[in-house]
Amino acid sequence: MERLHKRALLVLALVLLGVIVNYLSIPLLIKSDYVFDKALILTIIYIAGILCGAIAIKIINNYISDEDTKESIVCNHYMEQFSLQNMLTNLPNRIALEKRFELILEQTCDKNFKILFIDVDGFKIVNDTLGHAVGDEVLKKIANRLREIIDGQGELFHIRGDEFVLLLSKNESIEDICHMAKRIIKSMAIPFVFKERELHLTVSIGIATYPWDGYNVNLLLQSAHLAVQRAKESGKNNFKVYDHSMNLKMNKKLDLINNLHRAVEKEEFVLYYQPQVNSLTGEVVGLEALIRWESPEMGIISPAEFIPLAEETGLIIAIGDWVLKAACTQNKAWQNLGYASLPVSVNISALQFQESSFVDKVVKVLKDTELDPRWLHLEITESIAIKDTELTIDILNRLKDIGLKIALDDFGTGFSSLGYLKKFKINVLKIDSSFIRDIGEEDATITKTIIVLGKSLNMEVIAEGVETKEQFNYLKEVGCDKVQGYLFSRPVPPAEIEKMLYIA
């Protein structure tokens, strides 16, 4: 726009120049003693105007060209700066890290340096609950705190989102690097204050070394990121140093995920059932459906191995839907064969429970299988229940309106609260096996307290993981309604369950 403005002024100046020359020249020529042809005079005037205009154009074009060159240089400089900088935190970005990496290698081939890949744990929750504007402000505070911790001992980069990289190129020992990682973790554990609200954040750190863990920046970052993942799998808020076995584990994990996708498509799953026994009569009064994966290549795979991957990849929703339908279908089939009607418990994952269509799915399965809702129990964990209490209460009320019973699984391992139990109006309380496994004086007291609590709220109480007669006798003595565990039966296929059931 500015350049167009200058061009317009140039044309205007040219026109004015022609007018002025014409105005001044004609009277002078008329007063002179020489006689000129009028056409010749006008031709000379216009040629002179054109020459003057051409000279003016040349001068102004040179001026504009010089200005454009200066503007271009300044613009290119700023564009280069912007391309190397994270605009939110003003830290060098991923491109700057790559350039720095190349520069270090140009200076010396024998250089060995280390990077710390710093990942903020659970930062997505901040964005989801407080909004991205608040999240951006928090990232600025994180960047400032990292600057203070590092204090010039390395080069800090903000490569994307909640991921930062610290480059250390002074041949520090691995002990020094680990000490730096510990300092960062300790400092980041101090709550961030934002608008009079405390935010508790932690970081997981992966450490990788050039050239052993990667001969270029991409491979080095990949190795450090694998170490971060191991740190997160180990409970987060810690650090791991990369080793090559991590690649083997990651390859195995990727193979398992690929096979799991195929397993969902081909329904390579089966349900086993574990009996729940009445403590007083010893009769089977309920069953818990437990999934197994029968892979053609790998054999039977434990849910402890594939369920976490299913949750991580989102496949747990499809798997959970299959379990729900398969359990209801099997239960109805037993009833059609004349066996006594028993409730079958199905475990519900967090992703399933939070689906907007979850209740509708349950209703559809019950309708399709023609199973009475009384014979389906849904199990949720404490962590699911308290994640969004309003949502939980709404879903539970809708499920109860259908006629379902709800069990709270693994009670005692999370944020157990009498207030939550009253709000949720749970039907069944399941005591986690960790309280049963080593019943000593302290565990016995906790177990008894949970049973008394459940009874006071008119809940049925089930103890999981009962393996010895001593455990069973104690639970029966303190009034536990039902027990479940290897003492009575492992999870077994439907055919084995039928041997335990009785004809109605």
Side-chain angles (χ1 to χ4, degrees):
M1 182 62 72
E2 186 178 351
R3 184 178 299 177
L4 185 63
H5 181 63
K6 288 180 178 179
R7 299 287 184 186
L9 288 176
L10 176 61
V11 172
L12 181 60
L14 182 59
V15 172
L16 289 175
L17 179 63
V19 172
I20 291 170
V21 169
N22 186 61
Y23 179 78
L24 294 177
S25 301
I26 292 176
L28 290 174
L29 290 171
I30 291 173
K31 290 179 180 180
S32 65
D33 295 332
Y34 298 98
V35 177
F36 292 97
D37 182 68
K38 186 177 181 180
L40 179 61
I41 293 173
L42 291 176
T43 301
I44 294 171
I45 289 172
Y46 282 118
I47 290 173
I50 290 170
L51 289 173
C52 291
I55 294 169
I57 289 173
K58 181 66 176 176
I59 294 170
I60 293 176
N61 272 345
N62 287 340
Y63 172 76
I64 292 175
S65 178
D66 289 342
E67 279 201 340
D68 286 349
T69 303
K70 291 175 183 177
E71 287 178 3
S72 178
I73 292 171
V74 172
C75 183
N76 288 339
H77 172 73
Y78 279 111
M79 288 297 291
E80 184 177 1
Q81 289 297 107
F82 289 152
S83 70
L84 299 176
Q85 191 176 53
N86 184 288
M87 302 309 297
L88 179 65
T89 57
N90 293 325
L91 286 172
N93 60 16
R94 168 74 180 256
I95 299 173
L97 175 61
E98 293 174 357
K99 288 183 175 294
R100 179 61 179 146
F101 186 95
E102 293 170 0
L103 182 61
I104 292 173
L105 294 187
E106 286 175 6
Q107 291 174 347
T108 170
C109 294
D110 299 327
K111 195 77 173 178
N112 67 77
F113 51 87
K114 300 170 181 67
I115 63 170
L116 279 72
F117 196 117
I118 305 163
D119 186 288
V120 183
D121 298 323
F123 187 75
K124 184 177 183 295
I125 298 174
V126 176
N127 281 333
D128 290 347
T129 56
L130 302 179
H132 287 272
V134 173
D136 288 347
E137 293 302 316
V138 173
L139 281 175
K140 291 179 185 178
K141 289 179 178 288
I142 291 172
N144 289 335
R145 185 173 295 184
L146 287 173
R147 284 190 187 98
E148 293 174 3
I149 301 164
I150 294 164
D151 193 25
Q153 295 183 44
E155 298 173 70
L156 183 64
F157 300 82
H158 184 182
I159 60 173
R160 69 175 181 182
D162 58 353
E163 297 175 345
F164 299 82
V165 167
L166 174 61
L167 174 64
L168 297 166
S169 55
K170 296 181 180 179
N171 293 323
E172 292 90 346
S173 66
I174 193 64
E175 290 78 14
D176 293 335
I177 303 298
C178 291
H179 180 67
M180 172 64 78
K182 290 176 182 177
R183 281 178 53 202
I184 293 172
I185 290 169
K186 183 178 179 181
S187 176
M188 295 299 290
I190 301 171
F192 290 87
V193 179
F194 186 80
K195 292 185 178 179
E196 300 181 354
R197 180 173 186 171
E198 283 192 351
L199 294 177
H200 294 264
L201 297 172
T202 59
V203 294
S204 295
I205 299 175
I207 301 171
T209 304
Y210 174 86
W212 297 279
D213 301 332
Y215 59 85
N216 62 43
V217 68
N218 291 324
L219 289 175
L220 200 59
L221 286 173
Q222 181 180 320
S223 298
H225 190 260
L226 279 176
V228 167
Q229 296 307 309
R230 291 293 169 269
K232 287 182 178 291
E233 290 171 5
S234 301
K236 302 180 181 178
N237 195 32
N238 59 20
F239 71 92
K240 292 289 181 182
V241 178
Y242 173 81
D243 67 68
H244 293 284
S245 66
M246 292 179 181
N247 255 333
L248 298 176
K249 291 178 182 177
M250 182 55 68
N251 288 331
K252 182 181 177 182
K253 180 179 178 180
L254 289 175
D255 289 340
L256 202 58
I257 289 173
N258 289 333
N259 288 331
L260 189 57
H261 277 276
R262 187 197 61 198
V264 171
E265 292 173 5
K266 297 187 176 182
E267 295 187 353
E268 296 175 355
F269 305 105
V270 294
L271 286 184
Y272 280 37
Y273 297 86
Q274 188 171 40
Q276 296 169 341
V277 177
N278 184 297
S279 299
L280 297 178
T281 66
E283 294 178 330
V284 175
V285 290
L287 301 166
E288 181 178 0
L290 298 164
I291 191 172
R292 298 290 185 268
W293 175 11
E294 290 187 336
S295 169
E297 292 84 13
M298 298 176 286
I300 295 179
I301 302 173
S302 165
E305 188 172 357
F306 73 85
I307 289 296
L309 287 181
E311 291 176 338
E312 183 180 329
T313 57
L315 290 172
I316 193 66
I317 293 177
I319 293 173
D321 292 345
W322 180 89
V323 170
L324 183 63
K325 185 172 183 178
C328 290
T329 301
Q330 180 62 73
N331 200 6
K332 183 61 178 178
W334 279 325
Q335 292 178 10
N336 291 340
L337 289 171
Y339 292 106
S341 297
L342 298 176
V344 172
S345 298
V346 174
N347 293 282
I348 303 300
S349 72
L351 289 178
Q352 269 183 288
F353 191 76
Q354 290 160 5
E355 265 197 306
S356 59
S357 60
F358 173 64
V359 177
D360 294 332
K361 283 184 176 181
V362 174
V363 172
K364 186 177 187 305
V365 167
L366 290 171
K367 182 179 179 180
D368 291 346
T369 59
E370 300 181 348
L371 181 69
D372 191 306
R374 291 180 297 164
W375 310 121
L376 175 64
H377 289 185
L378 300 181
E379 295 189 9
I380 62 173
T381 61
E382 288 185 72
S383 58
I384 294 175
I386 67 172
K387 191 166 187 178
D388 185 337
T389 56
E390 291 184 6
L391 176 65
T392 298
I393 292 170
D394 177 60
I395 292 175
L396 294 185
N397 286 337
R398 290 168 63 193
L399 292 172
K400 286 175 186 175
D401 289 341
I402 298 168
L404 297 173
K405 286 189 175 181
I406 309 297
L408 189 63
D409 197 13
D410 298 339
F411 185 77
T413 61
F415 303 93
S416 309
S417 166
L418 182 61
Y420 285 132
L421 291 179
K422 286 182 177 179
K423 285 181 181 179
F424 299 148
K425 297 178 182 178
I426 300 295
N427 304 108
V428 181
L429 204 59
K430 298 192 75 174
I431 305 174
D432 185 67
S433 58
S434 61
F435 295 107
I436 308 301
R437 190 177 302 115
D438 299 311
I439 285 185
E441 186 175 340
E442 183 178 344
D443 287 331
T445 303
I446 294 173
T447 303
K448 182 177 180 180
T449 301
I450 293 174
I451 293 170
V452 171
L453 173 62
K455 294 282 190 178
S456 67
L457 295 172
N458 297 317
M459 295 180 186
E460 195 174 60
V461 182
I462 302 177
E464 298 181 291
V466 180
E467 298 179 353
T468 68
K469 288 184 178 180
E470 290 75 18
Q471 293 169 348
F472 172 60
N473 290 334
Y474 175 78
L475 291 165
K476 182 167 61 173
E477 180 185 332
V478 295
C480 187
D481 299 302
K482 300 177 184 178
V483 289
Q484 175 182 344
Y486 286 4
L487 178 62
F488 306 98
S489 174
R490 292 173 177 270
V492 294
E496 293 295 318
I497 287 293
E498 289 173 10
K499 297 176 183 178
M500 306 177 196
L501 302 180
Y502 60 93
I503 299 296

